[in-house]
């Protein structure tokens, strides 16, 4: 027996001491009370016994990656169904599915598995994490087995540690192979290329092609999206080597794609295309993003011998592999929507974590009116784009007509719905208004509901509470009703600017009605209408919403990301306010801070034709200010973690450039701003240190090699590696890991990669400038590597054998082969139940004496008495016996007294005769029984 809380055993000492002080009325009662105390104390102490477990557990760990057969999901569900049917009524079945990540489909329970529900992204097979998740849902000391349903392949970290954990807990891992047939698999087995090469030198690339037979295949080689080479290859069965070489005359990032096909049916086409990246060493170029390839800013930089690439936004994918090749990024008067939220987030991450520089210029498509307010880039700019109340010249009345149909109740991520994001966007508009402005909100489904009537914007708190409480109510949005209600509300206002923001689902905007006539009357009354559509420009109602904005003399925005709504609402408000761009010529004065960015020999002032009205943020430095009443910053700069950010609030090449285009110091100022923002320079490491990187089974391995002859380590704290990983069209993911010692001279860190992710790492070493490494990318998922198929399968068999698992062809025997295990089972509840029964018995015995009652024959035997008084008699019986004895003595003394001549009173004799008891011992017991 084991006690979970043995401290309660000390309670037995005062309890047994109590027995000595307050004695029990009888030995049977004392016995029952002793048993009662023992039961209660043992229950409080958590008594437990080692008992065999009667329930078995099987957890199915199922691979859902793309390398599995097309019908793998059905086979997994059938396997769970067979295990449920072959169980003996005491079985628990759990299911864990995995690909890049794992999902617990069902915790172990005696219920039938109701099917796979978790979605998956099948470019990876993270077997290690899946096995560890299976262990967490198996109860301790419970007899259990794990059934692995997989093609035997994994990616990321090797699962040997997880198999060892299963063996340590005595849980066998059985396996059952489910894989594609790969007998006719033409594949790129391996690509051998350098990660980094010098500029102007040729470098070789070797491609190992695995062919199932003799065939002729076509190959294509693309570099940075353009075809470099192509042709036909004659392949023999087995391994074939193909070589080509290339070079670049200037530093850049070269992105290659090698593809091959032979026209036959391929069981695994995923491995017919491989990608890799080569970095050409040297100072990376600067990227100028402009709406025109003939940008005057770009021409100035080229004349100054600055390596700059001018590209329009539609010529860029804004991917990590693409932008990592630039030391600085210039955004010249480009609307934020042309870059996209993912692109802006990527630029911010590059600036903060890799030292890439950022320069933003002004214009009608930039800053607040360009849609950068509340964007990812807003967070790292040295200027604030808030609408200051003191600079507003005209009062505004804005009414927001919001879609609250059923589609707005869908999740938008982070625990919020689309309706929640729209509510937050409306509140952002309210925050931008003056107390003299007016604000109203109408929620629309099949009819219009006034949530906030046209109210002065000074009642911020009460309005905010009402707006944030709007909920999706079902139905579709009737656009005509929304526009009509908003127009009627604005007709009550005499503000200089009256504006409607219509928010609607681009795929569910119903009942347009006579919207054309309504919008014509509204615009004649000075009311403008902008539309923000949740969805894409190809949705069924997108053209209708675009026409509403066109006829309402407003703007139309589309976004399928609800998180973008606050930024879009704010952008439209900026445009309506119009005072965030000053279109009058103004003089600009330079100050001493201009020397910080490398400008020397320039002083005085110059004139510009207009500028974006922004405000200097705390901690930022200003190198030039406007000489008007605003005293606004024209050149502001600061450091954003590893990178540098500079904002020029005037327009460099356009209508509002002004006399700045002819100023003598323009070229010097622009080149100095660019070179200051150019980011970190590539440099060597001190102390004979060396950084290497490699791709190994889907993992990015980075190693820091130290000088073996060093006298001491060049740092006190372990170096860190900041990594950005991302796929085209997705936001990058940042991770920071500390390096660990793998030998006395080598520190290592491993970053798992998924699918077509690009990894860009920066090594941070104490007292050493940040070291930005070359970006790397997986050729394809390691799951599809052909020559490793047999290696994977044999490895799974060996690892499973280590745990006691077998190749599970038949499933019926799994329950019979459960490992025998005993587990500590608490018996506290049963002890308490027994204590209650003993307590009742003790009460019964103490009150009646029935439990330990003696036979009647024993009761008739005279008991040993002292002075004629029974030993077992009660105190009342003893007194009665003494009184009876005295009377008998008195009666016997009467004849003697008469013989002596004494007078005996008859009354006393009669009383004595009457008081004599009818019986002796039995009479006393009868009285006691009645009492």
């Amino acid at each position: 027996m084991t006690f979970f809380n043995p401290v309660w055993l000390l309670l037995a000492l005062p309890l047994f001491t109590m027995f000595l002080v307050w004695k029990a009325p009888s030995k049977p009662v004392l016995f029952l009370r002793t048993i009662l105390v023992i039961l209660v104390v043992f229950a409080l102490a958590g008594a437990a016994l080692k008992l065999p477990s009667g329930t078995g557990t099987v957890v199915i760990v199922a691979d859902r990656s793309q390398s599995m057969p097309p019908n793998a999901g059905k086979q997994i569900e059938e396997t769970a169904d067979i295990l449920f049917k072959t169980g003996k009524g005491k079985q628990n079945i759990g299911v864990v599915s995995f690909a890049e990540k794992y999902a617990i489909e069902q915790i172990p329970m005696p219920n039938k598995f109701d099917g796979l529900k978790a979605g998956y992204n099948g470019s990876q097979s993270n077997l290690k994490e899946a096995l560890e998740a299976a262990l967490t849902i198996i109860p301790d000391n419970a007899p259990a087995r794990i059934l692995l349903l997989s093609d035997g392949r994994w990616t990321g970290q090797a699962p040997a540690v997880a198999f060892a954990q299963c063996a340590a807990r005595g849980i066998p891992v059985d396996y059952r192979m489910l894989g594609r047939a790969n007998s006719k698999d033409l594949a790129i087995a391996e690509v051998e290329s350098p990660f980094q090469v010098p500029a102007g030198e040729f470098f070789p690339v070797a491609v190992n092609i695995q062919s199932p037979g003799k065939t002729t295949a076509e190959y294509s080689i693309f570099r940075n999206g353009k075809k470099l080479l192509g042709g036909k290859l004659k392949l023999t069965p087995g391994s074939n080597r193909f070589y080509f070489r290339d070079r670049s005359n200037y530093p850049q990032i070269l992105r290659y794609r090698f593809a091959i096909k032979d026209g036959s049916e391929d069981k695994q086409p995923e491995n017919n295309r491989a990608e890799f990246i080569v970095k050409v060493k040297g100072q990376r170029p600067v990227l100028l993003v402009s709406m025109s390839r003939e940008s005057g800013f770009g021409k100035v930089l080229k004349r100054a011998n600055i390596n700059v690439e001018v590209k329009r936004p539609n010529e860029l994918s804004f991917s990590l592999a693409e932008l990592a090749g630039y030391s600085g990024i210039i955004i010249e008067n480009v609307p934020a929507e042309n870059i996209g939220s993912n692109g802006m987030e990527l630029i911010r991450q590059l600036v903060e974590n890799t030292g890439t520089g950022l320069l933003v210029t002004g214009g009608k498509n930039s800053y607040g009116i360009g849609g950068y307010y509340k964007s990812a880039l807003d967070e790292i700019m040295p200027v604030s784009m808030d609408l200051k109340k003191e600079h507003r010249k005209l009062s505004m009345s804005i009414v927001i007509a919001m879609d609250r149909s059923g589609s707005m109740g869908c999740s938008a991520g982070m625990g919020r719905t689309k309706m929640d994001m729209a509510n937050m966007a409306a509140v952002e508009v309210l925050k931008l208004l003056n107390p003299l402005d007016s604000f109203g909100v109408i929620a629309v489904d099949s009819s219009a509901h006034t949530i906030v009537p046209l109210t002065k914007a000074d009642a911020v708190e009460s309005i905010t509470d009402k707006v944030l409480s709007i909920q999706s109510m079902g139905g579709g949005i009737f656009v005509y009703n929304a526009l009509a209600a908003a127009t009627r509300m604005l007709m009550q206002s005499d503000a200089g600017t009256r504006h409607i923001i219509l928010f609607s689902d681009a795929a569910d905007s119903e009942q347009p009605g006579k919207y054309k006539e309504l919008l014509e009357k509204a615009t004649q009354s000075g009311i403008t209408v902008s539309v923000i559509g949740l969805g894409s420009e190809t949705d069924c109602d997108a053209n209708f919403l675009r026409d509403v904005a066109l006829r309402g003399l407003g703007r139309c925005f589309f976004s399928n990301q609800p998180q973008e709504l606050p930024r879009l609402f704010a952008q439209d408000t900026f445009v309506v306010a119009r005072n965030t761009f000053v279109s009058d010529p103004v003089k600009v004065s330079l100050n001493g801070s201009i020397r910080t960015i490398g400008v020397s020999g320039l002083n005085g002032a110059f004139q510009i034709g207009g500028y974006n009205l922004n405000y200097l943020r705390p901690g930022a430095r200003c190198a030039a200010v406007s000489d008007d009443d605003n005293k606004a910053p024209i050149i502001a700069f600061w450091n954003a973690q590893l990178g540098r950010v500079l904002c020029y609030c005037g327009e460099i090449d356009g209508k509002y450039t002004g006399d700045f285009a002819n100023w003598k110091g323009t070229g010097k100022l622009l080149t100095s701003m660019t070179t200051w923002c150019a980011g970190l320079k590539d440099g060597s490491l001190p102390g004979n240190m060396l950084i290497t990187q490699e791709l190994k089974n889907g993992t990015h391995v980075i190693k820091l090699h130290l000088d073996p002859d060093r006298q001491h380590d060049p740092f006190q704290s372990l170096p860190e590696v900041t990594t950005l990983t991302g796929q085209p069209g997705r936001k990058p993911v940042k991770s920071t890991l500390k390096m660990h010692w793998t030998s006395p001279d080598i520190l290592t860190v491993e970053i798992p990669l998924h699918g077509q992710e690009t990894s860009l790492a920066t090594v941070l070493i104490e007292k050493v400038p940040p070291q930005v490494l070359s970006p790397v990318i997986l050729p394809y998922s390691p799951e599809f590597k052909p020559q490793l198929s047999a290696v994977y399968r044999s490895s799974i068999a060996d690892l499973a054998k280590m745990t006691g698992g077998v190749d599970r062809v038949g499933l019926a025997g799994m329950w019979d082969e459960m490992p025998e295990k005993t587990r500590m089972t608490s018996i506290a509840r049963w002890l308490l139940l027994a204590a209650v029964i003993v307590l009742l018995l003790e009460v019964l015995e103490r009150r009646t004496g029935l439990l330990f009652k003696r036979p009647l024959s024993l009761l008739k035997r005279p008991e040993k008495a002292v002075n004629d008084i029974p030993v077992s008699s009660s105190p009342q019986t003893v007194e009665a016996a003494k009184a009876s004895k005295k009377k008998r003595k008195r009666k016997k003394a009467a004849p003697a007294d008469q013989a002596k001549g004494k007078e005996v009173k008859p009354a006393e004799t009669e009383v004595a005769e009457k008081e004599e008891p009818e019986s002796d011992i039995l009479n006393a017991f009868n009285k006691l029984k009645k009492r």
Side-chain angles (χ1 to χ4, degrees):
M1 181 179 293
T2 301
F3 297 98
F4 293 138
N5 303 302
V7 68
W8 286 99
L9 294 175
L10 297 176
L11 188 62
L13 297 177
L15 291 177
F16 284 115
T17 303
M18 184 182 66
F19 285 173
L20 298 177
V21 177
W22 291 287
K23 295 183 179 180
S26 64
K27 290 183 178 180
V29 173
L30 177 62
F31 172 74
L32 291 174
R33 287 183 179 179
T34 302
I35 298 299
L36 176 62
V37 169
I38 293 174
L39 292 174
V40 172
V41 171
F42 276 29
L44 291 174
L49 297 176
K50 281 188 177 182
L51 300 175
S53 178
T55 303
T57 299
V58 171
V59 176
I60 300 173
V61 178
D63 189 351
R64 301 291 314 280
S65 64
Q66 291 178 350
S67 62
M68 295 289 287
N71 62 342
K74 183 178 181 181
Q75 295 184 52
I76 294 167
E77 295 175 356
E78 290 177 351
T79 300
D81 189 45
I82 293 173
L83 286 173
F84 177 78
K85 292 179 180 178
T86 56
K88 299 179 180 179
K90 293 184 178 181
Q91 77 278 17
N92 290 325
I93 299 176
V95 179
V96 176
S97 62
F98 70 96
E100 292 183 2
K101 299 180 179 180
Y102 70 85
I104 298 177
E105 303 273 2
Q106 177 176 294
I107 61 173
M109 59 177 60
N111 298 339
K112 182 178 179 180
F113 180 55
D114 57 355
L116 297 165
K117 296 182 177 62
Y120 66 96
N121 188 347
S123 61
Q124 297 284 297
S125 294
N126 199 333
L127 177 57
K128 177 179 177 292
E129 290 187 1
L131 287 175
E132 291 174 345
L135 288 175
T136 61
I137 63 176
I138 296 176
D140 292 336
N141 297 321
R145 300 185 79 96
I146 293 177
L147 177 60
L148 175 61
L149 301 180
S150 172
D151 58 359
R153 305 184 180 205
W154 70 80
T155 57
Q157 297 181 353
V161 175
F163 277 92
Q165 292 174 351
C166 296
R169 288 186 54 180
I171 300 176
V173 180
D174 300 331
Y175 62 95
R176 193 177 190 183
M177 293 299 180
L178 305 175
R180 298 188 197 176
N182 56 1
S183 58
K184 295 182 179 181
D185 183 22
L186 175 66
I188 301 171
E190 190 175 8
V191 176
E192 299 175 6
S193 68
F195 289 107
Q196 187 170 269
V197 297
E201 294 185 8
F202 283 100
F203 57 89
V205 176
V207 182
N208 186 5
I209 303 172
Q210 194 80 16
S211 176
K214 187 176 180 180
T215 183
T216 299
E218 296 181 1
Y219 74 93
S220 300
I221 302 174
F222 296 85
R223 186 180 72 178
N224 293 345
K226 298 180 179 180
K227 190 171 182 178
L228 181 65
L229 293 172
K232 294 185 178 181
L233 293 174
K234 293 184 178 181
L235 304 177
T236 58
S239 180
N240 298 264
R241 301 280 286 183
F242 173 76
Y243 295 91
F244 73 94
R245 65 176 190 165
D246 195 12
R247 72 172 180 177
S248 174
N249 293 323
Y250 59 91
Q252 61 175 320
I253 299 295
L254 301 176
R255 303 181 308 278
Y256 292 91
R257 185 174 77 249
F258 186 91
I260 189 169
K261 61 180 180 179
D262 64 350
S264 63
E265 182 182 0
D266 199 330
K267 299 296 182 181
Q268 291 192 137
E270 294 87 353
N271 55 23
N272 290 5
R273 185 176 65 177
E275 297 186 7
F276 56 98
I277 295 175
V278 178
K279 179 182 178 180
V280 182
K281 291 190 297 184
Q283 179 60 36
R284 294 170 291 168
V286 174
L287 173 64
L288 174 59
V289 184
S290 177
M291 300 302 293
S292 171
R293 291 290 298 270
E294 302 300 324
S295 167
F297 192 3
K299 294 178 181 179
V300 170
L301 296 179
K302 289 179 180 179
R303 284 197 296 266
N305 294 323
I306 293 179
N307 187 5
V308 60
E309 294 183 12
V310 182
K311 292 187 178 182
R312 292 190 295 267
N314 58 1
E315 297 174 338
L316 296 166
S317 63
F318 293 101
S319 64
L320 181 58
E322 181 180 53
L323 297 186
Y326 300 103
S327 61
I329 299 173
I330 303 173
I331 301 177
E332 185 191 8
N333 197 20
V334 175
E337 61 183 4
N338 288 23
I339 298 176
S341 60
N342 292 336
M344 289 188 287
E345 176 65 26
L346 175 58
I347 294 174
R348 182 180 73 87
Q349 294 285 2
L350 288 172
V351 171
E352 293 181 336
N353 300 296
T354 69
T356 302
L358 175 64
L359 194 157
V360 181
T361 71
K364 283 293 188 73
N365 293 320
S366 188
Y367 295 106
I369 59 177
Y372 290 91
Y373 181 69
K374 293 294 182 181
S375 69
L377 293 183
D378 184 16
E379 302 174 12
I380 61 173
M381 287 188 188
V383 294
S384 170
M385 292 174 272
D386 291 325
L387 273 174
K388 296 292 184 179
K389 299 175 181 178
E390 60 268 20
H391 292 124
R392 291 286 310 280
K393 296 181 175 63
L394 296 175
S395 62
M396 288 195 307
S397 291
I398 292 183
V399 175
I400 301 178
M402 301 175 60
D403 180 1
R404 72 167 189 182
S405 61
S407 60
M408 293 297 109
C410 299
S411 173
M414 301 176 63
R416 295 189 178 100
T417 63
K418 294 179 179 179
M419 194 76 252
D420 294 333
M421 299 306 300
N423 296 343
M424 294 171 62
V427 172
E428 288 296 333
V429 174
L430 175 63
K431 293 178 181 178
L432 294 173
L433 301 182
N434 281 340
L436 298 179
D437 294 332
S438 299
F439 182 73
V441 177
I442 298 173
V444 186
D445 40 48
S446 56
S447 59
H449 309 272
T450 300
I451 304 299
V452 179
L454 200 61
T455 308
K456 290 297 182 182
D458 54 353
V460 177
E461 293 185 3
S462 61
I463 295 176
T464 299
D465 294 339
K466 293 179 181 179
V467 174
L468 293 179
S469 64
I470 300 175
Q471 296 181 355
S472 173
M473 294 296 184
I477 176 173
F478 284 17
V479 174
Y480 180 83
N481 294 343
L483 294 175
T487 302
R488 285 195 298 268
M489 186 176 289
L490 283 177
M491 286 296 186
Q492 307 170 13
S493 173
D494 57 357
T497 301
R498 294 181 293 177
H499 186 62
I500 298 173
I501 298 177
L502 174 65
F503 168 67
S504 180
D505 192 331
D508 190 24
S509 299
E510 304 176 19
Q511 300 293 332
K514 297 180 179 180
Y515 76 96
K516 297 179 181 179
E517 293 83 347
L518 177 63
L519 291 175
E520 183 178 357
K521 294 179 181 179
T523 53
Q524 290 175 357
S525 302
I527 299 174
T528 56
V529 181
S530 291
V531 177
I532 298 177
L534 187 59
S536 66
E537 298 181 1
T538 59
D539 288 340
C540 57
D541 295 323
N543 289 333
F544 163 58
L545 296 179
R546 195 180 290 110
D547 189 56
V548 170
L550 179 64
R551 295 178 182 274
L553 304 180
R555 288 144 303 282
C556 186
F557 307 93
F558 291 99
S559 176
N560 53 15
Q561 300 182 13
Q563 296 83 359
E564 284 283 280
L565 294 179
R567 183 182 67 82
L568 295 177
F569 274 59
Q571 179 181 354
D572 187 65
T573 306
F574 271 104
V575 175
V576 173
R578 294 189 184 278
N579 64 313
T580 58
F581 188 85
V582 178
S583 56
D584 298 327
V586 64
K587 186 179 179 181
V588 177
S589 299
L590 299 173
N591 57 37
S593 297
I594 197 68
R595 297 185 181 91
T596 305
I597 60 175
V599 179
S600 60
L602 290 181
N603 50 38
F606 56 89
Q607 191 178 53
I608 58 177
Y611 66 94
N612 295 80
L613 180 58
N614 298 315
Y615 307 92
L616 193 68
R617 278 200 165 115
R621 302 184 65 178
C622 180
V625 296
S626 63
D627 284 344
D628 55 3
D629 295 338
N630 296 327
K631 299 298 179 183
I634 302 301
I635 300 177
F637 58 94
W638 68 357
N639 284 66
Q641 296 187 25
L642 298 182
R644 297 171 174 178
V645 182
L646 187 146
C647 289
Y648 177 77
C649 298
E651 188 175 25
I652 290 181
D653 184 16
K655 177 180 177 181
Y656 298 97
T657 303
D659 292 340
F660 179 65
N662 301 318
W663 184 51
K664 63 179 181 179
T666 298
K668 189 172 185 178
L669 180 61
L670 294 180
T671 55
S672 297
M673 291 191 302
T674 302
T675 53
W676 184 84
C677 291
L680 297 175
K681 309 296 187 296
D682 296 335
S684 59
L685 284 166
N688 293 326
M689 289 188 289
L690 176 66
I691 298 176
T692 61
Q693 58 181 343
E694 62 177 331
L695 290 172
K696 186 177 180 181
N697 192 30
T699 303
H700 184 193
V701 182
I702 301 172
K703 294 183 179 181
L704 173 61
H705 304 262
L706 302 181
D707 187 356
D709 298 328
R710 68 189 185 280
Q711 298 299 320
H712 55 81
D713 292 335
F715 43 77
Q716 294 182 352
S717 59
L718 290 176
E720 292 184 344
V721 176
T722 300
T723 307
L724 296 179
T725 56
Q727 298 184 18
R730 296 186 186 180
K731 290 185 178 180
V733 178
K734 174 187 174 182
S735 62
T736 301
L737 300 173
K738 280 189 176 293
M739 304 190 81
H740 59 274
W741 294 97
T742 54
S743 76
D745 303 318
I746 299 177
L747 294 99
T748 306
V749 70
E750 297 180 355
I751 302 101
L753 297 182
H754 306 290
Q756 294 301 303
E757 281 186 343
T758 300
S759 175
L760 179 62
T762 303
V763 182
L764 304 175
I765 307 173
E766 186 178 331
K767 298 180 181 180
V768 176
Q771 301 294 310
V772 182
L773 305 184
S774 307
V776 298
I777 188 173
L778 293 175
Y780 50 79
S781 175
E783 284 195 324
F784 304 111
K785 218 167 186 179
Q787 72 271 28
L788 293 182
S789 177
V791 176
Y792 277 123
R793 289 173 179 266
S794 60
S795 298
I796 288 292
D798 293 340
L799 293 172
K801 186 178 180 181
M802 176 181 67
T803 66
V806 297
D807 187 355
R808 186 63 63 178
V809 179
L811 299 175
M814 287 198 69
W815 302 111
D816 298 329
E817 299 175 17
M818 281 290 169
E820 295 183 2
K821 287 189 177 182
T822 58
R823 59 178 178 174
M824 300 304 300
T825 303
S826 175
I827 59 172
R829 65 178 68 181
W830 303 108
L831 293 176
L832 290 175
L833 178 60
V836 172
I837 296 174
V838 172
L839 176 62
L840 295 175
L841 294 176
E842 188 269 345
V843 173
L844 180 64
E845 170 63 20
R846 180 162 44 83
R847 292 297 182 93
T848 66
L850 293 178
L851 296 178
F852 295 91
K853 183 177 180 180
R854 299 183 180 183
L856 186 61
S857 59
L858 294 178
L859 293 176
K860 292 181 179 180
R861 295 177 183 175
E863 297 185 15
K864 185 179 180 180
V866 179
N867 296 327
D868 297 331
I869 300 174
V871 175
S872 62
S873 301
S874 65
Q876 294 83 352
T877 305
V878 172
E879 294 297 327
K882 289 181 179 180
S884 177
K885 185 177 181 181
K886 291 180 179 179
K887 291 177 183 178
R888 287 198 299 271
K889 288 182 179 180
R890 194 180 299 118
K891 184 177 180 180
K892 292 179 181 179
D897 291 339
Q898 290 178 357
K900 294 178 180 181
K902 295 182 179 180
E903 184 179 359
V904 180
K905 295 181 179 181
E908 294 178 357
T909 305
E910 292 176 0
V911 171
E913 291 177 354
K914 290 181 180 180
E915 290 178 356
E916 183 177 0
E918 296 179 357
S919 60
D920 47 7
I921 298 176
L922 290 178
N923 188 37
F925 272 107
N926 289 332
K927 291 181 180 179
L928 180 60
K929 182 178 180 181
K930 292 179 180 180
R931 184 180 68 83

